[in-house]
Amino acid sequence: MLWNKMQKNKMKNSEQLYKALSERILILDGAMGTMLQRYKFEEEDYRGERFKDWEHPVKGNNDLLSLTQSQAIEEVHKKYLEAGADIIETNTFSGTTIAMADYHMEDLVYELNYESARIARKACDEYTAKNPEKPRFVAGAIGPTNRTASLSPDVNDPGYRAITFEELRVAYKQQCEALLDGGSDILLVETIFDTLNAKAALFAIDEIQDERNLSIPIMVSGTITDASGRTLSGQTAEAFLISVSHLNLLSVGFNCALGANQLTPYLETLAHNSEFYVSAYPNAGLPNAFGQYDESPEFMAEQIREYVEKQLINIIGGCCGTTPDHIHAIAEMVKAYAPRKVERFV
């Protein structure tokens, strides 16, 4: 009975998501890490009571905060919801056994993802209840891991790989199952610098769709790493799009690495060639000499105006350096603009 209820809820939320996308530009939240830095958490804060005797350092493991500082994670979600976000990302960017191996916390992966999704679900449900005309959605965040399947980490051995496709598939499948069980409406494969890694995630998600007889809205977001206009593994924007277009995606887009202005030509490539919705969540400009992001909310919103004037996007948010103030400014600006038309969803 509980499983059937969960399935019905996911179907209802999916219908609401597609309806909302047909009507307006949806707002994705901003940076989780930027907001968590404001709390100035130290080693003992990351550990909490439960992990106070953990043998290894854990400071910097932001995913762990979903267990040890869950109130802070919920507060960040609510600040973005209050700012106008329609879609909230779970605090799970590094939520695979591959990334958690850095902290010797592989056994916590299911719990980390489940709890992160549950926290985001709770916040979204609270805001949807306040305004049912503006339903809020949970996107299970799936990061690229800290290994690449396409490139060798050893310059002296170009044929060497630190990870296999199968290892990635298994790790991603575990993460995705937990994210769905915790209440995610969407699975967001993001900050893709190596499309082969992303393909392993997408393969795992496709397996889950078959096994659960479930259609999962999937967002795919790559990252252009520099002025060359390519991902780290060497693909152009168009090649990246072709590489992931075999699945029935909700959206394809780009995030991170670049500011809004620098991202424009690559979004144009996607918008003119894709049958999917297009998403974008750029950084708040480029980092300064101290690694900080200086772009104000108002300035960033004006940079993004070009996206909506050209009807390039359907989903817009912020990545590194963005805050609820940035998201609020963007949300207010895009209200006056229509979303990009997508023929297959008309």
Side-chain angles (χ1 to χ4, degrees), residues 242-307:
I242 293 168
S243 294
V244 297
S245 291
H246 59 289
L247 275 181
N248 183 27
L249 303 177
L250 173 71
S251 70
V252 64
F254 289 115
N255 73 288
C256 200
L258 301 177
N261 188 48
Q262 293 87 358
L263 204 58
T264 303
Y266 313 118
L267 292 176
E268 288 177 327
T269 296
L270 296 185
H272 297 156
N273 294 284
S274 175
E275 297 180 350
F276 310 120
Y277 292 119
V278 170
S279 71
Y281 48 116
N283 292 348
L286 297 176
N288 61 28
F290 303 100
Q292 302 298 312
Y293 293 86
D294 301 323
E295 216 164 74
S296 71
E298 296 74 21
F299 187 82
M300 186 175 181
E302 280 304 309
Q303 296 275 302
I304 284 170
R305 190 182 296 276
E306 184 177 8
Y307 298 176

Side-chain angles (χ1 to χ4, degrees), residues 95-232:
T96 58
T97 51
I98 297 162
M100 280 297 135
D102 287 353
Y103 303 96
H104 305 271
M105 288 184 158
E106 298 95 321
D107 291 343
L108 292 171
V109 162
Y110 184 91
E111 184 183 4
L112 284 170
N113 285 278
Y114 181 91
E115 284 301 312
S116 294
R118 186 191 63 78
I119 294 166
R121 174 83 275 150
K122 178 171 175 279
C124 282
D125 288 348
E126 181 180 322
Y127 275 77
T128 298
K130 290 180 182 179
N131 182 7
E133 297 302 308
K134 185 179 169 66
R136 312 300 180 101
F137 306 97
V138 178
I142 303 161
T145 82
N146 49 6
R147 299 187 188 181
T148 171
S150 292
L151 304 171
S152 173
D154 183 354
V155 294
N156 296 312
D157 187 0
Y160 172 71
R161 296 293 181 269
I163 193 81
T164 66
F165 184 92
E166 177 62 12
E167 288 169 331
L168 286 163
R169 182 197 67 81
V170 170
Y172 280 130
K173 189 172 183 181
Q174 180 187 21
Q175 180 180 27
C176 292
E177 288 175 332
L179 288 169
L180 291 169
D181 293 346
S184 297
D185 303 302
I186 303 162
L187 291 179
L188 168 54
V189 184
E190 65 171 333
T191 322
I192 299 164
F193 59 78
D194 183 348
T195 309
L196 191 56
N197 285 41
K199 280 179 172 288
L202 295 172
F203 189 92
I205 294 169
D206 211 24
E207 282 187 321
I208 295 169
Q209 290 188 121
D210 288 341
E211 292 167 4
R212 299 193 177 193
N213 191 27
L214 184 66
S215 179
I216 303 166
I218 305 167
M219 294 176 66
V220 168
S221 185
T223 186
I224 300 295
T225 53
D226 56 35
S228 71
R230 296 173 180 267
T231 65
L232 184 66

Side-chain angles (χ1 to χ4, degrees), residues 48-102:
E49 185 63 25
R50 179 175 170 184
F51 301 100
K52 66 178 182 179
D53 297 323
W54 197 256
E55 295 178 357
H56 309 279
V58 296
K59 184 179 178 181
N61 185 358
N62 284 349
D63 293 31
L64 182 63
L65 296 174
S66 292
L67 302 183
T68 58
Q69 301 290 339
S70 60
Q71 186 60 40
I73 302 301
E74 186 174 349
E75 285 175 358
V76 172
H77 287 327
K78 287 184 175 180
K79 286 176 181 177
Y80 281 122
L81 289 165
E82 196 66 38
D86 298 287
I87 304 171
I88 292 295
E89 291 187 63
T90 57
N91 179 41
T92 53
F93 186 80
S94 299
T96 58
T97 51
I98 297 162
M100 280 297 135
D102 287 353

Side-chain angles (χ1 to χ4, degrees), residues 15-27 86 132-135 137 277 311 313-315 334-342 345-346:
E15 289 171 2
Q16 289 181 325
L17 174 63
Y18 280 94
K19 182 176 184 294
L21 278 164
S22 70
E23 297 170 346
R24 57 193 172 85
I25 297 169
L26 295 193
I27 306 299
D86 298 287
E133 297 302 308
K134 185 179 169 66
F137 306 97
Y277 292 119
Q311 291 198 324
I313 58 167
N314 305 93
I315 302 169
V334 302
K335 281 181 180 178
Y337 294 88
R340 169 178 165 272
K341 289 285 185 286
V342 182
F345 295 124
V346 172

